Amino acid sequence: MSNEVLLIFLEELRELKEQFDTSLLSLRKDFTDQSSIDGAFRALHTIKGSGAMCGLTQLSEFAHAFETLFDEFRKGNAPVNQEVIRLSFEASDLLPDLVNPSDITAARSAAILSGLANSVHADEGAGAGTNLTKTFSFRLKGKVLELGANPALILQELRELGATEIEADTSAVPGLDDLDPETCYIGWHMKLPADVDEAALNTVFLFFDVDKDYGSAPAASGTPAQPARPPAGASASSHPKAPAAQAEASIRVGTSKLDSLVDQVGELVIAEARLSELARLSKDPNLLALAEQINRLSLGLRDTAMSIRMVPFGTLASRFERLVADLCMTLSKDVTFEVIGRETELDKTMIEKLADPLVHIIRNSMDHGIEPAEIRTANGKKATGSIQISAEHIGSEVIVTVKDDGKGLDADRIHAKAIEKGILSPDEAVSQDRLFNLIFEPAFSTQSQVSELSGRGVGMDVVKKTIDGLRGKVDVQSTAGKGTEITLRLPLTLAIVEGLLIEVDHEKYTIPVSIVNEIVDLPADKYAGTTSSDFLNVRGDFVPFVRLRKVLGCPPLFTGPQVLIVISASGEHVGIVVDRIIGKSQTVIKQMSPLHEDITQISGATILGDGTVALILDPIHLIEAGREVRHAIMSPEEVSA
Amino acid sequence: MTMHSGAEATFLIIVIGGQRLAINTIMIREILDPLPETRVPSARPFAPKVVNIRGTVVPQVTINDILNLPTSERTDKSRIVVVTVTTARGPVQIALLADAVLSVSSIPAGTIEPLSRVSHNWPSDLLVGLYRDNDAFVIVPDLEQIIMRNIAVKRDPAS
């Protein structure tokens, strides 16, 4: 088999597995949900077919055997229960492993199949003992009598199938004046044994136009009749559940092609900037008009290309539903998981990179945040815990929040730990906010004790590292006994940002416009200045500032007019002093070479309209530099006070 | 850098700091006139600047210091040799600043000899070897080694 075919199959398998999981998750909430059973069945069926096509025998055989057993649930011959769901999830996990079959996978599949067979047949035995019946009624339509039908013969045939308590329904018989002797106005109700299937009945009515109504009331157990099961063919559309799969026409495209498309659009945006520059210089009206048109087109193309990279948050969230379901079983906790903002779109690379940190956060919430049911009820909370994950766009950022209603972080113990680790001094006053954010310190999280006492810490530095890498921010808020909320703030896109082009010592740099708060002229008395005077009162707000000349290692002795850009990130304001502002520009972010990856001031580079490279300043580094200035200013004052 | 044993290999002969160097043409992407440079703050002297090579931001590398060669003067013969070096970290593209590009020559395998530890001023661990061409030595730098060393070295915060 060619590698290409296998790759396509693997991609398809991943999607089908997701579909299967999604169906199982909704089935878990309602064991009788026919559309979920059908969904799971369809996914299995496709896996079987494609697997066989790719020559993956063990996979397709397993899918086939599983499907055969699952068919019993689909036909309603055996009820779905918790055990079936558990086995199905196990099967779902096994599917990708079966691509590389081994003795282990063979043993696992055998175990799952025998478990499922037990579930199916255990119920069959019980059904046979209680001798279920179902109601059935029919009414012949049209001029059947004219065509020679004899209802008495039909009833005789039904009796042979085991029909009892046959009653005539004469409610539709009209008065004598309206009576058409060729029409059969009488309907019949009866009880049939539960094992009489549709096919047998269809044979009886083969030659007649007939209204049939199957009830499946298990009369023996006395439970109320279930709604009639829709005919098999119509089942897919019968229960319009959550729109699991949008029916928009789509094609499958390799992500590498997508990446190269975005790269090329990036080049185009840069080339277009050069063209506009040249057109402006030439003052040729024809060229200017053309450049303007190309500008419009390339911007449109950029937007489309970027939107192709966008993936709804829901695709990521459905993976966590599965995670929570699994953890509920292993931890014996009952937790409802809610996703808000499934439709919020994020860059595909970001979605991929977000999966790991979110798994860490959710696992922590499940494991340590949510208390066992008995403690929850004792504390006056609902026995069922809740974890909520939401994604929304705010400005040019995406905010992803994970919120639980567990016991919250233990501020006292984090404080104690921080002092023990030497991160805080014992008499240092610290805001709760800062305290909670200590859980992201790497040294903090490696201590297993912290994870026990606070419930957080395992892998939390991984979360911070990943989010930093995506040029985002993590923030944690927690109320003891009420729960914890972790907020991730991420840039909307990784590839193209709106940049503010600035000049420092005849060098050009770019900063993302999204972090710029305001721009003010630096007062003349601050032109030279010393570190202790490096702050500015911006409308009552005390803003420490850093001189970019110093940060970037340019000659610092510069006493000409300068501009202060106030940038803000997660509520912190820092000013940066630059020589002048050149303007806004579309910034296509280029990675720095491995030879330069250790340079903290720079987060990337971009190519300007004239073909030169401008470096992109790292906002996180600037904020941290500003924080140092703030401490340098504050500490002498505190000493004197 | 790997040598192809048996057959002869093609090398580009360039001059850096007055010294002739041979670089295997397999690694060479293109040769360009000097481009506008952008200084990278607090970068090592090895790769102090970046240039735009057809839309890619590539570090411009000066290997004079590393090979104990005299500093180069920028003249109208100066060229940028774009080289893709396969390293343990994956391919790394660099723009090598050369005083001049001389020629392309085929050198039979075996002509290039490893350096002895004595009697020369070059760091022998950064060279594949050298050969004699009309009474002058041509050195073959080990670019992979040179790059790996500069990725690995942690920057001194003071520098």
Side-chain angles (χ1 to χ4, degrees):
Chain A
M1 171 190 25
S2 76
N3 209 25
E4 205 174 315
V5 174
L6 183 63
L7 283 180
I8 293 172
F9 172 69
L10 287 179
E11 175 66 14
E12 193 180 296
L13 179 63
R14 201 180 54 75
E15 277 173 23
L16 287 166
K17 177 178 145 46
E18 232 161 64
Q19 232 175 64
F20 188 56
D21 282 353
T22 312
S23 302
L24 289 174
L25 284 166
S26 58
L27 190 59
R28 197 170 69 98
K29 291 180 195 131
D30 175 10
F31 288 156
T32 57
D33 180 14
Q34 189 66 32
S35 71
S36 305
I37 296 178
D38 288 338
F41 187 80
R42 272 197 302 277
L44 274 173
H45 190 76
T46 317
I47 291 170
K48 178 179 85 171
S50 317
M53 197 178 77
C54 289
L56 298 167
T57 326
Q58 207 184 77
L59 175 67
S60 70
E61 274 172 6
F62 174 73
H64 172 72
F66 199 88
E67 181 195 344
T68 310
L69 290 166
F70 214 83
D71 199 28
E72 298 298 319
F73 306 122
R74 194 168 72 110
K75 287 184 182 147
N77 292 345
V80 177
N81 56 34
Q82 193 62 44
E83 177 67 4
V84 172
I85 301 284
R86 194 186 63 77
L87 286 165
S88 303
F89 274 133
E90 250 178 58
S92 156
D93 288 337
L94 177 64
L95 289 171
D97 296 343
L98 282 172
V99 175
N100 300 306
S102 67
D103 291 348
I104 302 168
T105 56
R108 275 170 70 195
S109 53
I112 292 171
L113 289 173
S114 73
L116 192 67
N118 282 343
S119 292
V120 169
H121 296 127
D123 188 75
E124 234 170 46
T130 49
N131 194 14
L132 293 174
T133 60
K134 59 182 178 186
T135 61
F136 172 68
S137 51
F138 75 93
R139 186 179 287 278
L140 298 173
K141 288 199 297 190
K143 298 187 180 287
V144 281
L145 299 179
E146 186 185 27
L147 298 169
N150 185 346
L153 289 177
I154 295 172
L155 291 174
Q156 181 57 38
E157 273 190 68
L158 287 170
R159 256 186 224 108
E160 282 163 17
L161 282 174
T164 51
E165 300 175 42
I166 300 172
E167 278 170 31
D169 175 10
T170 54
S171 56
V173 179
L176 205 54
D177 292 345
D178 303 322
L179 194 119
D180 173 10
E182 309 288 357
T183 306
C184 178
Y185 293 101
I186 305 172
W188 285 271
H189 300 298
M190 67 201 70
K191 282 190 173 154
L192 281 171
D195 58 353
V196 175
D197 62 5
E198 257 181 79
L201 290 171
N202 285 339
T203 320
V204 176
F205 295 105
L206 192 56
F207 300 106
F208 306 107
D209 191 7
V210 67
D211 268 338
K212 287 178 287 191
D213 180 20
Y214 309 96
S216 55
S221 60
T223 51
Q226 285 174 350
R229 205 157 57 82
S235 60
S237 58
S238 58
H239 279 274
K241 281 272 164 178
Q246 252 92 38
E248 200 177 349
S250 61
I251 57 163
R252 210 182 292 265
V253 179
T255 46
S256 60
K257 280 187 195 165
L258 205 55
D259 287 344
S260 95
L261 172 71
V262 171
D263 277 356
Q264 286 172 43
V265 170
E267 298 306 314
L268 182 68
V269 170
I270 292 166
E272 183 276 318
R274 290 187 80 162
L275 178 68
S276 296
E277 180 81 19
L278 290 175
R280 203 174 49 79
L281 292 175
S282 79
K283 296 192 171 72
D284 177 345
N286 288 329
L287 189 59
L288 274 170
L290 186 63
E292 209 176 296
Q293 193 180 357
I294 289 188
N295 171 277
R296 249 197 335 271
L297 288 171
S298 74
L299 288 185
L301 196 56
R302 181 203 70 189
D303 289 347
T304 314
M306 297 315 281
S307 77
I308 293 175
R309 280 175 68 95
M310 293 302 199
V311 179
F313 183 68
T315 57
L316 181 66
S318 57
R319 274 192 249 172
F320 301 134
E321 288 179 347
R322 174 68 204 280
L323 176 76
V324 171
D326 280 354
L327 287 173
C328 276
M329 280 190 230
T330 48
L331 298 170
S332 326
K333 286 177 184 175
D334 197 7
V335 175
T336 56
F337 182 68
E338 197 185 346
V339 183
I340 298 165
R342 276 177 195 279
E343 65 292 335
T344 305
E345 290 192 319
L346 275 77
D347 189 275
K348 129 191 118 55
T349 322
M350 184 120 52
I351 289 262
E352 282 159 14
K353 293 202 172 146
L354 267 183
D356 264 0
L358 285 176
V359 165
H360 277 300
I361 294 172
I362 291 172
R363 201 177 279 155
N364 269 321
S365 281
M366 285 293 297
D367 200 4
H368 310 292
I370 305 280
E371 315 90 322
E374 53 275 23
I375 296 179
R376 290 182 64 90
T377 30
N379 289 341
K381 290 197 213 177
K382 276 197 295 182
T384 308
S386 138
I387 293 179
Q388 207 181 60
I389 182 164
S390 66
E392 61 175 324
H393 288 160
I394 292 180
S396 64
E397 283 184 323
V398 186
I399 315 286
V400 177
T401 314
V402 182
K403 197 165 145 189
D404 69 47
D405 68 343
K407 60 174 175 248
L409 297 174
D410 189 334
D412 294 341
R413 300 184 82 166
I414 294 175
H415 194 221
K417 193 77 205 173
I419 291 167
E420 191 192 316
K421 297 238 54 163
I423 298 170
L424 296 174
S425 61
D427 45 355
E428 189 178 345
V430 59
S431 70
Q432 203 175 48
D433 210 33
R434 168 135 186 255
L435 198 60
F436 286 154
N437 278 295
L438 286 177
I439 63 170
F440 295 114
E441 295 283 325
F444 218 81
S445 63
T446 50
Q447 297 294 307
S448 59
Q449 268 183 309
V450 176
S451 69
E452 281 164 30
L453 65 90
S454 66
R456 305 288 155 144
V458 182
M460 278 312 198
D461 65 319
V462 174
V463 173
K464 174 114 169 80
K465 236 177 258 162
T466 314
I467 303 304
D468 280 354
L470 293 168
R471 291 183 283 118
K473 271 272 179 191
V474 196
D475 192 40
V476 58
Q477 290 195 326
S478 181
T479 315
K482 291 267 174 64
T484 306
E485 186 175 334
I486 293 181
T487 309
L488 314 178
R489 302 170 58 147
L490 300 153
L492 194 53
T493 156
L494 294 169
I496 301 183
V497 296
E498 194 87 24
L500 186 69
L501 201 59
I502 55 175
E503 191 180 275
V504 180
D505 190 31
H506 308 293
E507 294 175 345
K508 287 171 186 165
Y509 293 92
T510 294
I511 53 174
V513 165
S514 55
I515 62 161
V516 174
N517 234 27
E518 61 178 304
I519 298 168
V520 294
D521 283 329
L522 192 68
D525 61 320
K526 304 269 187 192
Y527 282 174
T530 55
T531 311
S532 60
S533 67
D534 277 356
F535 61 87
L536 193 68
N537 187 339
V538 180
R539 287 191 305 279
D541 201 4
F542 219 45
V543 179
F545 60 78
V546 288
R547 294 171 193 274
L548 265 193
R549 279 176 171 259
K550 200 169 160 232
V551 173
L552 302 173
C554 309
L557 288 168
F558 181 69
T559 50
Q562 290 158 71
V563 181
L564 182 85
I565 303 172
V566 181
I567 61 170
S568 74
S570 49
E572 223 171 319
H573 296 297
V574 169
I576 53 173
V577 176
V578 304
D579 291 3
R580 82 186 174 95
I581 288 168
I582 298 169
K584 279 209 291 184
S585 70
Q586 285 297 323
T587 304
V588 180
I589 299 173
K590 304 271 179 187
Q591 296 302 314
M592 294 297 277
S593 150
L595 289 170
H596 289 140
E597 66 187 8
D598 54 345
I599 291 168
T600 51
Q601 297 97 315
I602 303 299
S603 66
T606 188
I607 291 164
L608 301 176
D610 61 2
T612 56
V613 177
L615 302 176
I616 301 169
L617 298 173
D618 183 8
I620 295 166
H621 178 83
L622 293 172
I623 294 278
E624 273 164 13
R627 204 176 293 152
E628 276 164 30
V629 173
R630 193 194 302 267
H631 288 311
I633 297 168
M634 296 306 184
S635 26
E637 285 175 12
E638 278 166 7
V639 170
S640 65
Chain B
M1 172 173 162
T2 51
M3 294 294 304
H4 293 266
S5 57
E8 53 177 32
T10 318
F11 284 81
L12 181 76
I13 313 299
I14 61 173
V15 181
I16 291 180
Q19 170 65 49
R20 276 204 263 168
L21 286 85
I23 294 171
N24 197 321
T25 47
I26 289 175
M27 299 194 288
I28 291 171
R29 290 277 301 272
E30 55 190 319
I31 299 165
L32 301 167
D33 286 338
L35 293 164
E37 304 157 340
T38 302
R39 182 185 71 96
V40 180
S42 57
R44 282 178 293 269
F46 171 69
K49 290 170 177 175
V50 288
V51 289
N52 165 20
I53 310 268
R54 302 188 198 285
T56 311
V57 177
V58 177
Q60 182 167 289
V61 164
T62 319
I63 57 171
N64 302 52
D65 281 356
I66 274 187
L67 296 179
N68 290 338
L69 300 171
T71 310
S72 300
E73 292 291 321
R74 194 68 68 88
T75 66
D76 55 1
K77 283 187 178 160
S78 297
R79 294 288 180 274
I80 286 174
V81 181
V82 184
V83 179
T84 303
V85 185
T86 316
T87 70
R89 289 277 311 271
V92 175
Q93 203 171 80
I94 55 169
L96 204 56
L97 201 55
D99 303 354
V101 172
L102 298 183
S103 61
V104 174
S105 22
S106 292
I107 301 167
T111 313
I112 297 170
E113 297 165 19
L115 276 79
S116 59
R117 290 294 283 135
V118 288
S119 80
H120 59 78
N121 197 21
W122 302 303
S124 49
D125 52 339
L126 296 180
L127 299 183
V128 174
L130 81 175
Y131 68 94
R132 194 186 290 266
D133 179 34
N134 294 334
D135 289 341
F137 283 116
V138 181
I139 58 173
V140 184
D142 189 342
L143 290 176
E144 182 186 353
Q145 200 57 44
I146 290 170
I147 284 173
M148 284 313 285
R149 183 164 297 187
N150 278 282
I151 292 178
V153 169
K154 271 284 152 219
R155 228 155 15 98
D156 189 329
S159 69

